[in-house]
Amino acid sequence: MPRWRAQAFLAAISLASAQTFPNSTTPPTNGSSSPLNNADSPPFYPSPWIEGLGDWGEAYAKAQAFVSQLTLLEKVNITTGTGWQSDHCVGNVGSVPRLGFDSICMQDSPLGIRFADYVSAFPAGGTIAAAWDRGEWYRRGYQMGQEHRAKGVDVQLGPVVGPLGRNPKGGRNWEGFSPDPYLSGIAVADTVRGIQDAGVVACTKHYIMNEQEHFRSPGNFEGSFVDAISSNLDDKTLHELYLWPFADAVRAGTGAIMCSYNKINNSQGCQNSYLQNYILKGELGFQGFIMSDWDAQHSGVASTFAGLDMTMPGDTDFNSGLSFWGPNLTLSIINGTVPEWRLDDAATRIMAAYYYVGRDTASVPVNFDSWSRDTYGYANFYAKTGYGLINQHVDVRFDHFRSIRRTAAMSTVLLKNNGVLPLKGTEKWTAVFGNDATENAYGPNGCPDRGCDNGTLAMGWGSGTADFPYLVTPLEAIKSTVGQNGGVVQSVTDNWAYSQIQQMAKEASVSIVFVNADSGEGYITVDGNMGDRNNLTLWQDGDALIRNVSANCNNTIVVIHSVGPVLVNSFYQSPNVSAILWAGLPGQESGNAIADILYGRYNPGGKLPFTFGSDAAEYGPDLIYEPTAGSESPQDNFEEGVFIDYRAFDQKNITPVYEFGFGLSYTTFSYSNIKVTKVPAGEYTPTTGQSKAAPTLGNSSTDPAQYQWPSNFTYVNTFIYPYLNSTDLRTASQDPEYGLNYTWPAGATDSTPQARIGAGGAPGGNPQLWDVLFTVEATITNNGTLPGDEVVQLYVSLGGEDDPKVVLRGFDRLSIQPGQSATFHADITRRDVSNWDVAAQNWVITDAAKTVYVGASSRKLPLSAALDTSDYR
């Protein structure tokens, strides 16, 4: 049996045999007795069908009307990708020419448009998170959606909340927002709303537990086959940490969710029936469609039953010309293996998302090509057929550079300032150091998918990138500012030119040092880092660069461009290092944004969305860089539970270098007058009742003669079609064991009404979780002489023995004039003060004493008050 066919059946059998999902109420201890070792994920069938919950009713009705018109082949076409490099976008499904419906176009990335010209390069998610500003998150999403829409893209492959950021060395953390689920949840919800208000479907990814790049997919490692890593976790950790922001994305209406490469509790992500059917479509009430990551589908029938709705890019492997779906999905319907209602549901979910964001009125034809920048070329790049106009070079940037610059400045975090900032621009001699201050010699897009660390770092590497239309470097922005004032600017941008660096530092009145640390997706290795970072140190000899400058200049400013936390032990306490800024991955306006901060055109107000520690071990379990002995899949046991980032530092009583939520300003703020008001709300009631029966929107013929290749059809090589190649089903299947009695999961074909899930009931979960139980207010005063922004943060102590010391549950960015005060306001919802009860399989408010704190960071919380939750239990 061909390997790709064998996987389709064996995966279904293994899913049927899975039994348990760890339901420990406390994080397990390290050791062989851990309940997470070789964890299983329980089967859950059938895959719930869309019902038009929440505000999806109108889109659902339109989708049903459309799908009801489709033939079986057309429904298979809409759900199956056409194959890698077979069409213009990184992913396309088949079209329905009979109804004038073009192929749906899926395109990266979460910070702009990948593989296209005349587009913007926005700040990365993990950078804009530092703005702590809902309006900026929405605006960035909307502007990205505008650009995707104008290029003809239907589905933007972003935003990202998986990885969440369990370990700061995770290669793709920068694509997401923050290791805090609340901060990530608000950021992803606002981004989803922005993208979809612009008329493009947002695809929130990667669902779920895709927390490292090493071993994310099956493959060879040092000459031996290693299966995909299994992220093993308990039910409490799933709900209280990693699932939290996905629930926010679903509640915000995300039209698509991408399932991940890895296994979760030893069940492949894109065929994990518990996580896709029970949790996502059931408990969270997700109304859109689940799309596979590229090459993350490893089965046919098993993934269909487990809730997958669209396969990307459609082939079993890039350019293989074979598909787990396509003709095999057609075959599985007409031979009765898969009921037609499951295919109807998949197609309806896809079309509902299409209508939900208004693609029927917002859609424009695709006007670019992912595989060539030439104006004329092949429409089917890999097959080299269909020569014609492929790129119209449409400029879709509008005036987005303005908000990109402002947002990058808003996201810059001032970590240290001995009174030297802001600079005046009239300093006698400004010296700039570091290759991070200047150009990549190959140009800003000279390394494919940004797969190098040459020049200033403004985004990480991998599929989460976009081409820069330009990249303003820090050096040219500083030159522009100082030059206008007649000052002197000199630079050394070779980090290893030690003697020249030391000499210039001695002459300078102010030295500005630029350093960085990079990471990205695992298919690219940069300086020995296979996607994930090998450590948390600065790259390009950055520590030595800072040492060489600061030893010779007592006014040294350090600017860090990085994908996340870095170790600053060697310099942050040095008296000669007078200021430190974290500028993240700021996008195309990088230099202008940092110059705006350095020279006081913008008062920094960003706060860290993660923790700076002094040792990588402080963050908890390391990434897995080597295969696990005795296991085909590396076993990654999430034994720390919910204790990641600042929660881990608090649990272990470790003092961070710069804590989560920390950030300075050129002015100062004080906090006073906390006030808590209790809001009347009823008791929490689990959702009850049953769904409707699964609708069947078609009754297709079982005659294989109806699904053969059309006469005089022009076949495009490796393009995935829905047609069968024979009227004999065994021959059409290409499976010599076709017809054997396989055991399919119990309930997989059941179309009868299903019981509602108590924690569900609407998109995002039980609607009562968002009941407001308390309002909190506090007075914030600007005590300085400059107007500035203060990110006010609200934390809650849930009070249980197994709970973190505090968890973020509210924030607002306030702009306050000098000598003036502003009122901070935040709502605390039922969800905010609840814990997940693994026995009840629902959210509960425990009887532990709960306290609310308000302050400037997770470690600076001057205001507090008790929360009386007794009436809500």
Side-chain angles (χ1 to χ4, degrees):
M1 185 189 302
R3 181 173 179 269
W4 62 277
R5 290 291 300 168
Q7 287 177 317
F9 291 102
L10 294 177
I13 295 169
S14 66
L15 275 178
S17 65
Q19 297 298 321
T20 60
F21 193 84
N23 283 333
S24 59
T25 58
T26 61
T29 58
N30 290 314
S32 60
S33 62
S34 169
L36 297 181
N37 283 333
N38 300 309
D40 286 333
S41 186
F44 184 85
Y45 300 95
S47 181
W49 38 91
I50 181 175
E51 297 183 86
L53 300 178
D55 62 351
W56 283 74
E58 181 179 352
Y60 173 54
K62 288 182 178 180
Q64 275 200 318
F66 182 84
V67 175
S68 295
Q69 303 176 64
L70 302 182
T71 67
L72 172 59
L73 292 174
E74 289 167 341
K75 285 183 281 192
V76 171
N77 238 17
I78 281 180
T79 57
T80 303
T82 58
W84 182 245
Q85 297 182 324
S86 289
D87 219 321
H88 294 294
C89 304
V90 296
N92 289 83
V93 293
S95 59
V96 185
R98 181 176 62 86
L99 299 180
F101 186 79
D102 291 333
S103 167
I104 296 175
C105 163
M106 272 62 64
Q107 194 71 14
D108 295 309
S109 75
L111 57 66
I113 304 177
R114 183 186 182 205
F115 294 156
D117 53 13
Y118 299 101
V119 300
S120 300
F122 290 84
T127 298
I128 195 172
W132 296 65
D133 189 288
R134 294 170 174 83
E136 291 303 313
W137 296 335
Y138 176 87
R139 183 177 293 105
R140 172 177 173 269
Y142 187 82
Q143 291 181 348
M144 290 193 299
Q146 281 184 307
E147 296 196 11
H148 278 267
R149 171 179 168 175
K151 282 289 189 181
V153 175
D154 298 296
V155 182
Q156 178 179 346
L157 302 178
V160 172
V161 286
L164 183 66
R166 176 199 186 202
N167 187 295
K169 292 190 287 184
R172 300 184 76 177
N173 291 354
W174 58 272
E175 294 185 36
F177 298 100
S178 166
D180 181 81
Y182 184 91
L183 184 60
S184 282
I186 301 298
V188 74
D190 287 327
T191 304
V192 163
R193 292 187 186 100
I195 292 170
Q196 297 195 159
D197 283 354
V200 173
V201 176
C203 179
T204 303
K205 60 184 187 177
H206 308 82
Y207 184 77
I208 192 171
M209 311 305 297
N210 185 17
E211 294 294 318
Q212 68 171 65
E213 289 301 285
H214 281 74
F215 310 116
R216 67 177 186 173
S217 296
N220 289 319
F221 181 82
E222 297 180 353
S224 299
F225 174 79
V226 180
D227 206 348
I229 193 170
S230 179
S231 299
N232 303 329
L233 81 163
D234 63 272
D235 196 29
K236 178 180 173 70
T237 301
L238 173 71
H239 281 84
E240 294 188 6
L241 188 61
Y242 296 99
L243 186 65
W244 185 289
F246 281 101
D248 284 316
V250 172
R251 188 166 187 263
T254 187
I257 284 182
M258 183 187 293
C259 55
S260 57
Y261 285 117
N262 54 293
K263 296 179 180 180
I264 307 95
N265 288 2
N266 288 289
S267 178
Q268 197 72 50
C270 290
Q271 62 193 48
N272 189 309
S273 63
Y274 177 79
L275 289 172
Q276 295 189 151
N277 289 342
Y278 181 79
I279 295 292
L280 184 54
K281 291 183 175 180
E283 182 182 316
L284 296 190
F286 176 52
Q287 300 296 288
F289 63 97
I290 300 175
M291 170 201 306
S292 73
D293 203 341
W294 272 233
D295 264 9
Q297 184 188 27
H298 298 282
S299 66
V301 171
S303 60
T304 311
F305 283 146
L308 190 66
D309 301 303
M310 178 189 287
T311 172
M312 280 289 121
D315 31 20
T316 57
D317 198 5
F318 290 170
N319 309 125
S320 69
L322 304 173
S323 179
F324 291 118
W325 280 6
N328 284 305
L329 184 52
T330 303
L331 181 62
S332 71
I333 300 295
I334 67 172
N335 71 10
T337 302
V338 175
E340 191 165 1
W341 65 258
R342 172 75 272 269
L343 175 60
D344 290 342
D345 179 61
T348 303
R349 286 174 173 275
I350 293 167
M351 293 308 303
Y354 187 91
Y355 290 119
Y356 185 75
V357 304
R359 290 303 292 163
D360 51 327
T361 58
S363 180
V364 299
V366 175
N367 53 49
F368 73 101
D369 187 81
S370 295
W371 320 115
S372 172
R373 292 297 170 83
D374 295 340
T375 303
Y376 292 90
Y378 294 110
N380 311 112
F381 178 82
Y382 187 77
K384 298 295 184 286
T385 61
Y387 189 85
L389 177 66
I390 59 172
N391 275 316
Q392 297 178 38
H393 308 291
V394 179
D395 191 335
V396 300
R397 295 173 296 160
F398 306 100
D399 65 345
H400 296 165
F401 72 93
R402 301 184 191 278
S403 58
I404 290 172
R405 177 174 179 170
R406 182 186 65 253
T407 304
M410 290 180 68
S411 303
T412 301
V413 183
L414 179 61
L415 299 176
K416 178 180 180 180
N417 186 17
N418 288 347
V420 300
L421 294 179
L423 299 172
K424 303 294 189 295
T426 57
E427 289 73 23
K428 188 174 182 180
W429 184 304
T430 300
V432 178
F433 298 93
N435 54 22
D436 184 69
T438 191
E439 298 273 7
N440 178 351
Y442 306 138
N445 304 312
C447 300
D449 286 338
R450 314 298 80 76
C452 62
D453 184 34
N454 301 344
T456 194
L457 182 66
M459 66 175 70
W461 75 74
S463 64
T465 56
D467 274 11
F468 293 101
Y470 57 80
L471 176 54
V472 179
T473 69
L475 179 58
E476 61 185 313
I478 291 169
K479 280 184 176 180
S480 176
T481 298
V482 176
Q484 291 173 7
N485 294 305
V488 173
V489 180
Q490 301 279 321
S491 62
V492 178
T493 57
D494 181 343
N495 290 14
W496 291 270
Y498 288 2
S499 60
Q500 292 88 346
I501 290 169
Q502 292 166 357
Q503 181 59 42
M504 184 176 292
K506 292 177 182 177
E507 301 173 16
S509 51
V510 59
S511 294
I512 309 175
V513 183
F514 288 87
V515 291
N516 68 38
D518 203 356
S519 73
E521 197 167 356
Y523 67 89
I524 295 174
T525 298
V526 178
D527 292 345
N529 296 266
M530 298 170 58
D532 302 315
R533 284 192 280 172
N534 294 332
N535 50 55
L536 297 182
T537 60
L538 293 171
W539 288 31
Q540 306 284 354
D541 207 25
D543 286 288
L545 174 64
I546 295 169
R547 184 170 59 250
N548 282 327
V549 174
S550 62
N552 293 281
C553 178
N554 63 3
N555 188 15
T556 298
I557 298 167
V558 176
V559 179
I560 303 169
H561 288 121
S562 73
V563 293
V566 294
L567 300 181
V568 296
N569 306 6
S570 67
F571 62 87
Y572 83 99
Q573 292 180 313
S574 168
N576 285 358
V577 174
S578 49
I580 304 173
L581 296 122
W582 181 77
L585 305 173
Q588 67 190 48
E589 291 285 332
S590 175
N592 286 334
I594 196 62
D596 287 343
I597 294 290
L598 290 171
Y599 293 98
R601 295 190 289 264
Y602 197 95
N603 189 348
K607 300 288 185 93
L608 289 176
F610 45 72
T611 301
F612 270 74
S614 59
D615 190 285
E618 295 172 345
Y619 292 90
D622 200 359
L623 302 184
I624 294 180
Y625 294 94
E626 299 286 339
T628 304
S631 178
E632 189 177 50
S633 291
Q635 299 292 300
D636 194 3
N637 295 335
F638 285 46
E639 296 179 332
E640 72 284 356
V642 300
F643 294 92
I644 67 171
D645 199 75
Y646 71 92
R647 301 168 176 215
F649 281 75
D650 288 346
Q651 181 196 39
K652 300 170 187 175
N653 199 27
I654 299 171
T655 301
V657 176
Y658 299 114
E659 70 269 18
F660 176 86
F662 176 81
L664 302 174
S665 170
Y666 295 153
T667 187
T668 59
F669 301 92
S670 61
Y671 289 64
S672 61
N673 303 327
I674 187 170
K675 178 184 177 183
V676 176
T677 303
K678 196 169 184 177
V679 178
E683 293 185 4
Y684 179 73
T685 305
T687 298
T688 59
Q690 289 188 316
S691 70
K692 298 178 181 178
T696 297
L697 305 180
N699 187 19
S700 299
S701 169
T702 59
D703 179 6
Q706 301 294 315
Y707 308 106
Q708 304 301 300
W709 290 85
S711 59
N712 301 319
F713 185 84
T714 301
Y715 169 77
V716 175
N717 187 35
T718 72
F719 200 96
I720 305 300
Y721 299 96
Y723 307 110
L724 304 182
N725 60 6
S726 174
T727 56
D728 178 72
L729 298 187
R730 179 187 297 273
T731 302
S733 74
Q734 302 181 47
D735 182 359
E737 298 182 20
Y738 180 84
L740 294 181
N741 292 322
Y742 294 98
T743 301
W744 302 111
T749 61
D750 184 1
S751 62
T752 62
Q754 302 293 307
R756 303 285 188 193
I757 295 172
N766 193 311
Q768 297 167 83
L769 292 172
W770 283 271
D771 288 344
V772 176
L773 305 188
F774 304 93
T775 62
V776 179
E777 291 186 344
T779 301
I780 318 300
T781 302
N782 182 342
N783 298 316
T785 60
L786 295 173
D789 290 358
E790 174 69 342
V791 175
V792 186
Q793 299 158 50
L794 181 150
Y795 294 81
V796 169
S797 169
L798 296 171
E801 291 183 2
D802 304 318
D803 290 320
K805 181 179 179 181
V806 292
V807 290
L808 180 71
R809 288 295 187 260
F811 62 88
D812 197 8
R813 183 167 179 146
L814 303 177
S815 296
I816 309 175
Q817 293 297 312
Q820 300 297 309
S821 297
T823 299
F824 166 73
H825 177 97
D827 293 331
I828 298 178
T829 67
R830 187 187 308 274
R831 182 188 187 214
D832 293 333
V833 292
S834 295
N835 290 95
W836 181 253
D837 187 317
V838 299
Q841 284 295 288
N842 218 320
W843 295 94
V844 299
I845 299 176
T846 70
D847 58 5
K850 304 189 191 319
T851 306
V852 61
Y853 299 88
V854 174
S857 75
S858 62
R859 291 282 177 112
K860 293 182 176 62
L861 300 170
L863 307 180
S864 65
L867 295 176
D868 178 10
T869 60
S870 58
D871 295 341
Y872 307 124
R873 296 198 290 271

